[in-house]
Amino acid sequence: MSWLFDINNPVMRWVVKIFDCICLSILWVATCLPIFTIGASTTALFATVHRYIRLDDGGLLKTFFRAFRENFKRSTVCWLVMLAILALLTVDVLVFRTMAINGQFLGKLYWLVLLLIGVVITWMAYLFAYAERFDGSAMDVLKLSFLLMMFHPLKAVVVLL
């Protein structure tokens, strides 16, 4: 029975990984509280999951805050661009929904704009994962993550779901 509480036991390693994921989620939420840091926090989340959880490299806090600091500028710029796009599409959804309720012809674009919001949300998942793994300017990250999403449409649908 003493093998159950051994730290090198596969069950205990699994429990530790689950606890680390919970702590990482709490850390991500705490660093996302200022809205403009969501991009850097999400990139640090991807980096920590890749380096610490999957590769067992470094410590949880050290890995997260190092990735947060390294990717802050580029990820924040990317996040603000995505936030602007989402704000514009949200306004469009509200306008086209009102048109649809009033029976106007352009109200049929409501579903198209909702689909575009789904595409942008999927793009954000690719964007922050790409920003974590590869170097480049914010514009390069935006372009290449979008192309990556477009060249793999079936995987993009799975990511959205």
Side-chain angles (χ1 to χ4, degrees):
M1 191 68 171
S2 65
W3 64 269
L4 183 63
F5 299 107
D6 182 23
I7 195 69
N8 293 324
N9 179 8
V11 174
M12 288 303 288
R13 281 186 287 177
W14 182 78
V15 169
V16 168
K17 294 274 186 188
I18 295 296
F19 182 75
D20 287 342
C21 287
I22 292 169
C23 291
L24 185 59
S25 297
I26 292 169
L27 185 61
W28 178 78
V29 168
T31 55
C32 281
L33 288 179
I35 298 290
F36 70 93
T37 62
I38 290 176
S41 299
T42 305
T43 303
L45 174 75
F46 278 115
T48 307
V49 167
H50 175 70
R51 292 181 194 144
Y52 178 72
I53 303 291
R54 293 187 74 198
L55 300 178
D56 288 327
D57 182 28
L60 182 73
L61 291 173
K62 180 181 175 184
T63 304
F64 184 86
F65 285 113
R66 182 181 58 196
F68 186 88
R69 187 176 53 254
E70 289 173 357
N71 296 305
F72 182 79
K73 183 178 178 183
R74 182 178 51 166
S75 296
T76 302
V77 169
C78 291
W79 164 245
L80 293 176
V81 168
M82 299 308 275
L83 186 62
I85 292 170
L86 283 174
L88 179 68
L89 288 174
T90 302
V91 169
D92 287 347
V93 161
L94 295 174
V95 168
F96 288 127
R97 181 175 169 263
T98 304
M99 288 179 164
I101 289 172
N102 292 335
Q104 295 176 353
F105 179 72
L106 288 178
K108 295 180 181 183
L109 293 176
Y110 171 70
W111 296 106
L112 178 65
V113 176
L114 280 178
L115 179 67
L116 284 175
I117 289 176
V119 168
V120 170
I121 290 171
T122 306
W123 182 17
M124 285 191 328
Y126 276 88
L127 174 78
F128 297 123
Y130 187 89
E132 184 270 320
R133 295 295 297 257
F134 300 103
D135 292 329
S137 68
M139 189 54 118
D140 290 340
V141 171
L142 286 166
K143 284 190 302 189
L144 294 173
S145 63
F146 183 77
L147 289 174
L148 186 65
M149 179 188 68
M150 286 294 129
F151 286 141
H152 301 283
L154 295 177
K155 287 183 182 178
V157 169
V158 172
V159 167
L160 178 63
L161 295 176

